[in-house]
């Protein structure tokens, strides 16, 4: 026995198993994120949804009424994962080999992190540099206050000496990520998604 | 040099060319195009066609109209625009020259 839900895909109603629904919405979300920067993002999604709707209709024509997780998996295989859709690397997918190049890391630089700060962003920047939680560094700095205050001076010096990460490429080299188009794109997408999420949360709160 | 990657790039460019060519014969909706292109083994995954169609439409090479369907979701029929036709004839010329040159070079 399985719990089912009712969904509307491109104006057609389907009964769908709960696990199948989760899989499908994760897939659509993945596509949405992949094409987030595209002008026609919504159009691409609606086209894909309408195709999924057709595929499900073929599958539920006979006795069977419910869309199962196998149906969803087949539909996804038919339509393709986002990377296959963009045709970036059907290569690695087709041959099953791992030709994907290792991510290259650029030399890291110490910056003050304006997105992760309480005072000057020094701890946030140190955290990014050493890849540890900035909160931990903050606690250490606070502790030194009770042990003579050396940390305070160090903090002030760092605040003066270390530049603030102003540009996108500053932020990428702060995290040791290579400054290339795809990383910049990733970073923008992350920002946009954050903004979107915040807006959605806001409108939910209002409603 | 990654052979598969080059193939994928070629296929993508050729797909745009073929979509325009198909739509210049008659208007069609996405699933019809998918079927034809799949039969011709030009399409690896069906999803590829949607970003391409959207891009061609945003570039003004295609337009579309909605049509209700008795058997499923409403269908978006794509039509080629005048700009698309001009573009297609340019592409056709380029393609013919290219295949000609490639044949000469590879077959000696």
């Amino acid at each position: 026995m399985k719990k089912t839900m009712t969904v509307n895909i491109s104006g057609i109603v389907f009964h769908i198993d709960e696990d199948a629904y989760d899989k499908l919405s994760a897939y659509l979300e993945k596509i949405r994120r992949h094409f987030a920067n595209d002008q026609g993002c919504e159009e691409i999604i609606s086209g894909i949804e309408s195709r999924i709707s057709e595929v499900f209709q073929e599958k539920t024509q006979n006795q069977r009424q419910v869309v199962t997780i196998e149906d969803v998996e087949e539909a996804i295989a038919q339509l393709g994962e986002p990377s296959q859709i963009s045709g970036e690397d059907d290569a690695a997918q087709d041959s099953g080999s791992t030709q994907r190049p290792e991510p290259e890391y650029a030399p890291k630089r110490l910056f003050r992190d304006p997105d992760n700060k309480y005072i000057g962003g020094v701890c946030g920047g140190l955290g990014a540099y050493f890849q540890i939680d900035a909160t931990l560094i903050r606690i250490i700095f606070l502790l030194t206050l009770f042990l003579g205050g050396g940390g305070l001076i160090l903090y002030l010096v760092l605040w003066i000496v270390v530049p603030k990460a102003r540009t996108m490429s500053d932020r990428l080299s702060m995290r040791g990520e290579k400054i290339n188009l795809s990383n910049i794109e990733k970073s923008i997408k992350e920002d946009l998604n954050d903004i979107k999420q915040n807006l959605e949360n806001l409108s939910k709160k209002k409603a | 040099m990654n052979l598969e990657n080059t193939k994928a790039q070629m296929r993508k460019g050729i797909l745009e060319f073929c979509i325009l060519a198909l739509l210049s014969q008659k208007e069609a909706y996405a699933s019809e195009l998918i079927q034809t292109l799949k039969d011709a083994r030009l399409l690896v995954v069906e999803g590829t066609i949607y970003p391409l169609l959207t891009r061609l439409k945003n570039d003004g090479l295609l337009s579309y109209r909605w049509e209700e369907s008795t058997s499923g979701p409403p269908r978006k029929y794509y039509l080629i625009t005048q700009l698309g036709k001009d573009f297609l004839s340019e592409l056709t010329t380029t393609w013919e020259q290219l295949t000609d040159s490639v044949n000469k070079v590879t077959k000696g």
Side-chain angles (χ1 to χ4, degrees):
Chain A
M1 192 176 77
K2 264 183 175 173
K3 199 170 152 190
T4 67
M5 329 173 63
T6 317
V7 289
N8 167 350
I9 309 177
S10 294
I12 310 286
V13 172
F14 294 97
H15 296 293
I16 181 168
D17 282 336
E18 212 175 5
D19 52 356
Y21 171 80
D22 291 341
K23 181 131 205 170
L24 183 61
S25 42
Y27 172 68
L28 289 172
E29 184 51 37
K30 213 162 28 164
I31 292 199
R32 192 178 297 273
R33 246 179 288 135
H34 190 89
F35 290 106
N37 271 4
D38 248 81
Q39 252 188 345
C41 176
E42 285 310 313
E43 253 177 297
I44 296 172
I45 308 259
S46 88
I48 288 177
E49 279 190 10
S50 127
R51 180 68 183 159
I52 288 175
S53 180
E54 282 179 355
V55 173
F56 285 172
Q57 256 192 333
E58 280 167 29
K59 295 197 189 285
T60 52
Q61 250 167 11
N62 301 328
Q63 301 276 348
R64 235 182 55 197
Q65 294 180 337
V66 179
V67 176
T68 65
I69 193 156
E70 287 82 16
D71 296 335
V72 173
E73 276 163 2
E74 271 174 46
I76 293 177
Q78 207 173 328
L79 279 147
E81 293 290 336
S83 59
Q84 290 174 299
I85 290 178
S86 306
E88 279 164 357
D89 53 4
D90 355 1
Q93 305 279 356
D94 281 351
S95 55
S97 64
T98 49
Q99 286 161 335
R100 195 182 290 252
E102 288 291 309
E104 291 178 62
Y105 289 95
K108 267 191 192 180
R109 287 183 58 196
L110 183 59
F111 281 102
R112 289 183 287 121
D113 187 351
D115 300 326
N116 184 7
K117 71 163 190 179
Y118 281 92
I119 309 168
V122 171
C123 295
L126 284 172
Y129 189 82
F130 294 112
Q131 284 185 320
I132 43 180
D133 194 343
T135 314
L136 201 66
I137 299 177
R138 288 193 186 107
I139 292 170
I140 295 171
F141 266 108
L142 278 176
L143 283 178
T144 62
L145 279 186
F146 300 104
L147 303 169
L152 185 65
I153 295 164
L154 182 65
Y155 190 97
L156 289 175
V157 169
L158 285 174
W159 194 355
I160 295 164
V161 172
V162 176
K164 188 166 136 190
R166 283 172 211 280
T167 63
M168 185 81 67
S169 56
D170 284 353
R171 276 174 223 193
L172 286 172
S173 51
M174 176 175 78
R175 280 180 245 146
E177 283 180 61
K178 205 169 174 150
I179 305 159
N180 56 24
L181 267 182
S182 74
N183 270 334
I184 292 176
E185 193 185 334
K186 196 175 98 191
S187 177
I188 294 176
K189 272 186 191 170
E190 279 170 7
D191 285 353
L192 281 177
N193 276 337
D194 284 349
I195 296 170
K196 227 193 234 167
Q197 209 67 44
N198 287 341
L199 283 177
E200 274 169 21
N201 287 345
L202 256 179
S203 58
K204 262 182 207 158
K205 267 183 203 159
K206 272 190 188 161
Chain B
M1 185 80 176
N2 184 335
L3 178 64
E4 288 302 326
N5 212 345
T6 313
K7 274 197 217 162
Q9 291 297 331
M10 276 173 92
R11 201 155 38 208
K12 215 160 142 185
I14 291 167
L15 262 182
E16 287 184 18
F17 177 36
C18 289
I19 288 172
L20 286 174
L22 282 172
L23 290 176
S24 75
Q25 291 157 18
K26 71 177 180 67
E27 56 179 68
Y29 74 109
S31 302
E32 285 177 316
L33 292 172
I34 287 177
Q35 203 48 56
T36 318
L37 294 171
K38 261 184 141 178
D39 291 345
R41 288 196 294 166
L42 277 165
L43 211 55
V44 182
V45 289
E46 295 182 358
T48 315
I49 203 169
Y50 295 99
L52 288 182
L53 283 173
T54 307
R55 183 142 44 90
L56 291 172
K57 191 214 71 185
N58 287 344
D59 288 346
L61 305 182
L62 301 179
S63 64
Y64 67 89
R65 61 177 175 80
W66 284 102
E67 194 168 288
E68 287 300 323
S69 151
T70 47
S71 61
R75 291 168 177 178
K76 203 180 197 175
Y77 274 86
Y78 284 92
L79 317 108
I80 194 164
T81 61
Q82 189 52 51
L83 190 65
K85 281 179 192 158
D86 298 342
F87 198 82
L88 175 64
S89 71
E90 285 284 321
L91 278 181
T92 314
T93 320
T94 316
W95 175 255
E96 278 160 5
Q97 285 167 353
L98 257 179
T99 44
D100 195 40
S101 322
V102 170
N103 277 341
K104 268 187 200 147
V105 171
T106 55
K107 293 192 183 125

